[in-house]
Amino acid sequence: MTILVTGGAGFIGSNFILDWLAQSDEPVINLDKLTYAGNAENLASINEDERYTFSHGDIGDSKLVARLLEQYQPRAVLNFAAESHVDRSIHGPEDFIETNILGTFRLLEAVRAYWNKLEADARADFRFLHVSTDEVYGTLAPDADAFTEMHRYEPNSPYSASKASSDHLVRAYHHTYGLPVLTTNCSNNYGPYQFPEKLIPLMIHNALAGNPLPVYGDGQQIRDWLYVGDHCSAIRRVLEAGRVGEVYNIGGLNEKANLDIVNIICDLLEELAPENPNSRTLSSSLRAQRSNPGHSHEDKDVNPEGFKSLITFVKDRPGHDRRYAINADKINSELNWQPAETFETGIRKTVRWYLDNQDWVEHIVSGEYRDWVKQQYA
């Protein structure tokens, strides 16, 4: 028994593989293109694990995918591979069309050919699980009901439009060809190994460096936040018991405004990183020293507001959806799944992880990354 994971060196994919091998002895084949957001370091701890095999390549490479399927005979394919950042899709939508639509199409074609050759029992047991996003549903009014699986697709960015297209392809391959598919649509993930272009790791990284914390518009865009470990457990459950052809929404039951998230991160950093020069905890200590004879005056410009003084409001991005919210009743009632983490426990774990893994962050925030942040939040 083996599973094939695509995009397994990315944020959610790598967390899923680590979680899978912590829960199971079933081997994993990881196919990843290693774009800027795919980081082999995420999986360094299992490089020598005989249950883990890495293949460097693209889901759009039909010959490579066909070879991996033939060689390893997986019982399931889990598709995490995607271009996934809205801001980047606004500046360069073509990569999103290429990977999320054409790549998914070519992957489906290769999987369909493989599945058609399987023996009857193996065909019946096989699953293709497609990991998608709540952004395909568009935006919600402040008082609107949360997204259910029956909500109409209304994507508002090149990213969400490309993911909506991939979702429709997966659905079509089930209804036209009988391919046994499952689709999950998740809310905003956060946790370890997230590339620091996304809100939470960006704020942690910038705060520790004393750089501005850029907040779009008024910061009142609301998202439902899902700890990545909970997302992984939900995917495992859908793969195990989900009904073929069905869609399952996965949410963290944590609706919060972006500005509130930034303030929470600042408060946690004040507690967990009091020795950082930008912390008001350290500032208080330095101010106390001023009453001591012979103290240095180097601290005269220390800001008593601490990390929150770095919050900077920037021009809102085009087409910015105002609110997302997930109704997870279906996966709860059918599969008995619900998140284990509250936002308070999950964000504390996340901030602690980034503080303990600064080497990981520094290895990936290259000059190209810094140029991107400067361009995006100027």
Side-chain angles (χ1 to χ4, degrees):
M1 303 293 285
T2 301
I3 62 169
L4 171 63
V5 170
T6 68
F11 164 48
I12 302 175
S14 60
N15 273 280
F16 178 81
I17 290 176
L18 292 171
D19 186 71
W20 180 268
L21 292 178
Q23 306 280 339
S24 168
D25 286 330
E26 185 172 0
V28 178
I29 314 303
N30 175 17
L31 172 62
D32 198 290
K33 190 177 179 180
L34 294 182
T35 62
Y36 75 94
N39 187 355
E41 286 188 46
N42 297 2
L43 298 163
S45 64
I46 58 171
N47 279 343
E48 304 303 319
D49 193 320
E50 61 182 12
R51 299 170 298 168
Y52 174 65
T53 302
F54 175 72
S55 178
H56 184 198
D58 190 341
I59 60 171
D61 185 342
S62 301
K63 291 182 179 179
L64 172 59
V65 174
R67 179 174 61 78
L68 291 174
L69 292 169
E70 182 65 27
Q71 180 177 355
Y72 294 103
Q73 296 286 302
R75 69 172 180 93
V77 173
L78 292 87
N79 183 31
F80 293 87
E83 295 284 347
S84 65
H85 191 37
V86 173
D87 292 343
R88 288 182 183 267
S89 80
I90 293 170
H91 287 285
E94 187 168 347
D95 287 344
F96 291 74
I97 305 304
E98 181 66 36
T99 297
N100 298 353
I101 302 177
L102 293 177
T104 300
F105 159 69
R106 291 171 182 145
L107 178 64
L108 283 165
E109 278 288 273
V111 170
R112 180 168 71 96
Y114 163 74
W115 175 72
N116 278 330
K117 296 177 183 178
L118 293 176
E119 298 293 334
D121 288 346
R123 276 171 56 88
D125 292 340
F126 181 83
R127 297 291 184 269
F128 180 93
L129 193 154
H130 177 65
V131 179
S132 190
T133 172
D134 60 357
E135 296 193 36
V136 298
Y137 298 124
T139 189
L140 286 169
D143 58 349
D145 292 337
F147 298 130
T148 71
E149 291 80 359
M150 300 304 294
H151 198 282
R152 184 173 66 182
Y153 274 32
E154 297 179 305
N156 290 321
S157 70
Y159 161 61
S160 57
S162 67
K163 287 299 289 183
S165 299
S166 68
D167 292 5
H168 289 320
L169 282 170
V170 172
R171 173 185 168 86
Y173 270 65
H174 172 63
H175 285 274
T176 299
Y177 303 113
L179 188 68
V181 305
L182 299 157
T183 297
T184 59
N185 293 90
C186 68
S187 56
N188 277 36
N189 277 222
Y190 68 99
Y193 300 110
Q194 189 169 28
F195 191 78
E197 65 184 355
K198 300 296 180 74
L199 177 67
I200 288 175
L202 174 67
M203 295 301 145
I204 297 171
H205 175 65
N206 279 17
L208 293 174
N211 293 329
L213 307 182
V215 176
Y216 283 133
D218 61 4
Q220 294 306 306
Q221 304 86 0
I222 293 173
R223 302 293 182 261
D224 173 29
W225 292 92
L226 173 67
Y227 187 67
V228 68
D230 284 330
H231 189 193
C232 293
S233 72
I235 291 172
R236 289 200 319 273
R237 184 61 183 146
V238 171
L239 180 63
E240 176 185 37
R243 289 185 291 133
V244 169
E246 290 295 312
V247 175
Y248 293 91
N249 283 354
I250 304 170
L253 309 179
N254 289 300
E255 284 190 63
K256 294 189 182 297
N258 286 348
L259 183 57
D260 292 339
I261 297 294
V262 178
N263 280 310
I264 289 169
I265 290 170
C266 289
D267 289 340
L268 278 171
L269 288 174
E270 297 289 353
E271 175 190 347
L272 299 177
E275 298 307 313
N276 185 281
N278 302 292
S279 170
R280 72 166 175 268
T281 305
L282 180 62
S283 302
S284 299
S285 173
L286 288 172
R287 289 197 304 277
Q289 292 175 20
R290 293 176 180 174
S291 61
N292 297 329
H295 79 275
S296 168
H297 291 277
E298 294 176 354
D299 57 329
K300 64 181 183 302
D301 295 324
V302 170
N303 191 326
E305 295 180 18
F307 291 109
K308 290 182 180 179
S309 68
L310 301 171
I311 295 175
T312 305
F313 292 93
V314 299
K315 182 180 178 181
D316 209 351
R317 73 183 180 205
H320 200 170
D321 290 335
R322 196 64 174 170
R323 174 178 170 240
Y324 305 143
I326 281 285
N327 181 323
D329 287 350
K330 181 177 178 179
I331 190 172
N332 188 349
S333 61
E334 287 193 14
L335 304 181
N336 195 30
W337 177 89
Q338 57 186 5
E341 301 290 345
T342 64
F343 186 77
E344 290 69 27
T345 61
I347 193 63
R348 177 174 288 272
K349 287 182 178 181
T350 300
V351 171
R352 181 77 269 167
W353 187 90
Y354 280 94
L355 288 172
D356 292 342
N357 290 273
Q358 284 297 295
D359 287 346
W360 179 89
V361 177
E362 292 305 319
H363 287 168
I364 62 176
V365 289
S366 63
E368 180 183 353
Y369 166 81
R370 289 190 292 271
D371 291 344
W372 159 256
V373 171
K374 182 178 179 180
Q375 170 193 341
Q376 185 60 31
Y377 299 107

